[in-house]
Amino acid sequence: MQSKIKALAKERNAIILAHNYQPPEIQDLADMCGDSLELSRKAAQTDAEVIVFCGVHFMAETASILSPDKKVLLPRLDAGCLMADMITAEALQMKIASLPPMPVVTYVNSTADVKALSTICCTSANVVQVVNSLPQKEMLCTPDRNLAMYAASKTGKKIHVWDGYCPTHEWLTKEDVAAAREAHPNAVFLAHPECRPEIVDMADVVASTSGMLRHVAQAKEEEFIIGTELGILHPMQKAAPGKKLYPASKKMTCNNMKKISLEDVLKSLEEMSGEVKVPEEIRIPALGAVQAMINLKI
Ligand code: 13P
Ligand code: SF4
């Protein structure tokens, strides 16, 4: 199946991108795996005519925003993001109208029409630098309240928080982390900034998925408790073969990230189906926010 997909991808001049949470067989098939920031950079730079995005809907939209002349395929159009669904453009418009003028920093885990109303995007890898890059001391950060609170704690800026969250990360409790620490007293605890503030406070390292991968591969320590979606364990074990990895909680799985199968990728390439295309009237303002982030080169 994998060689059939690869041959067809070559024929179609397609690149296959996969997020670090995708099922192992999808990550092993992909031309490139990464976190949201790396994947959006790759989507902006590739020479391929077709981008097969193995991730969730907002990621394919970001690729379409950056590469309007390419065909962007999401092999399962129903792979959404529960956090991205916690904000709409209409609700954001009302929130903006209720506040004094201030920049809107929007996590890439959001729909294109929400990005279109935003000043700049950020990812979990660069939120602190994005917030610090703005001259203003006060801003609205959407849609992830946990990421916003993390940015506020790191920058000292006044951040208005949108009340969204990622259920997969919200499930991780202090009790889970305490139990994992007790079971593995020598392990380093890594948390994703989508986790609740009390979990982030307990962490030795706070990083995006690729930041976690790099840390575990380079660290001198041998044992790690991983506070993010379970899919990360596959690339992490590949990047750090001899090291011991323990999930902070086995509940941390995102069903949307597990929807795409090899059969779906093959079908999508055969039929060129599952296209995600952002209409120009939304793409242009959304591009402003995504490009502002990419231009920071962080
Ligand atoms: P990153 O890979 O950018 O850390 O994103 C985490 C995530 O939740 C993606 O859906
Ligand atoms: Fe959305 Fe969370 Fe799933 Fe990422 S892990 S796609 S933020 S629900």
Side-chain angles (χ1 to χ4, degrees), residues 197-227:
E198 65 265 30
I199 304 294
V200 168
D201 285 347
M202 292 168 91
D204 300 306
V205 176
V206 181
S208 76
T209 56
S210 288
M212 286 186 184
L213 285 179
R214 280 189 293 273
H215 184 89
V216 168
Q218 289 162 9
K220 58 178 188 328
E221 292 89 353
E222 293 295 324
E223 294 182 60
F224 302 87
I225 298 165
I226 308 302

Side-chain angles (χ1 to χ4, degrees), residues 21 56 58 80-83 109 166-169 194 229 254 257:
Y21 295 158
V56 293
F58 74 78
C81 167
L82 296 175
M83 172 157 58
N109 299 27
C166 163
T168 305
H169 289 83
E194 286 176 21
E229 210 275 342
C254 171
M257 277 285 180

Side-chain angles (χ1 to χ4, degrees), residues 36-71:
S36 309
L37 183 61
E38 291 166 339
L39 293 173
S40 50
R41 286 221 169 96
K42 187 72 185 171
Q45 287 161 1
T46 179
D47 294 330
E49 287 168 78
V50 179
I51 299 172
V52 182
F53 218 114
C54 299
V56 293
H57 197 269
F58 74 78
M59 296 181 173
E61 270 192 342
T62 306
S64 166
I65 290 166
L66 286 162
S67 299
D69 301 332
K70 299 186 197 307
K71 208 181 240 308

Side-chain angles (χ1 to χ4, degrees), residues 78-296:
D78 61 340
C81 167
L82 296 175
M83 172 157 58
D85 292 343
M86 291 181 190
I87 185 169
T88 62
E90 293 69 32
L92 176 56
Q93 238 154 1
M94 281 168 63
K95 181 78 183 173
I96 292 170
S98 76
L99 291 169
M102 66 180 71
V104 179
V105 178
T106 290
Y107 195 22
V108 284
N109 299 27
S110 55
T111 56
D113 53 357
V114 167
K115 290 185 175 75
L117 295 172
S118 305
T119 314
I120 187 165
C121 282
C122 70
T123 75
S124 60
N126 63 14
V127 60
V128 173
Q129 293 93 327
V130 166
V131 167
N132 274 333
S133 76
L134 295 166
Q136 293 88 343
K137 297 263 176 288
E138 188 174 352
M139 61 200 69
L140 169 64
C141 282
T142 75
D144 185 359
R145 63 179 182 214
N146 292 335
L147 191 75
M149 286 187 273
Y150 171 67
S153 75
K154 288 282 164 195
T155 62
K157 295 206 180 188
K158 181 172 177 190
I159 294 188
H160 298 260
V161 168
W162 189 273
D163 201 19
Y165 60 91
C166 163
T168 305
H169 289 83
E170 191 75 8
W171 283 327
L172 183 62
T173 63
K174 274 165 85 167
E175 291 70 31
D176 292 327
V177 178
R181 277 217 193 267
E182 203 178 308
H184 311 291
N186 297 322
V188 178
F189 172 47
L190 293 90
H192 194 278
E194 286 176 21
C195 293
R196 300 185 207 183
E198 65 265 30
I199 304 294
V200 168
D201 285 347
M202 292 168 91
D204 300 306
V205 176
V206 181
S208 76
T209 56
S210 288
M212 286 186 184
L213 285 179
R214 280 189 293 273
H215 184 89
V216 168
Q218 289 162 9
K220 58 178 188 328
E221 292 89 353
E222 293 295 324
E223 294 182 60
F224 302 87
I225 298 165
I226 308 302
T228 195
E229 210 275 342
L230 299 177
I232 191 78
L233 295 170
H234 174 69
M236 203 173 261
Q237 201 68 78
K238 278 189 3 186
K243 301 203 172 170
K244 291 203 174 78
L245 310 176
Y246 312 109
S249 161
K250 292 198 174 129
K251 293 172 290 192
M252 296 184 79
T253 180
C254 171
N255 291 339
N256 280 304
M257 277 285 180
K258 308 301 176 207
K259 281 187 176 160
I260 297 175
S261 66
L262 290 175
E263 287 78 7
D264 295 324
V265 178
L266 181 62
K267 184 166 180 265
S268 174
L269 270 168
E270 274 172 349
E271 299 173 359
M272 297 298 274
S273 58
E275 183 172 10
V276 173
K277 189 152 184 67
V278 177
E280 278 303 280
E281 65 276 16
I282 294 178
R283 190 188 76 81
I284 298 296
L287 178 64
V290 178
Q291 198 64 56
M293 170 186 81
I294 289 187
N295 288 349
L296 288 177

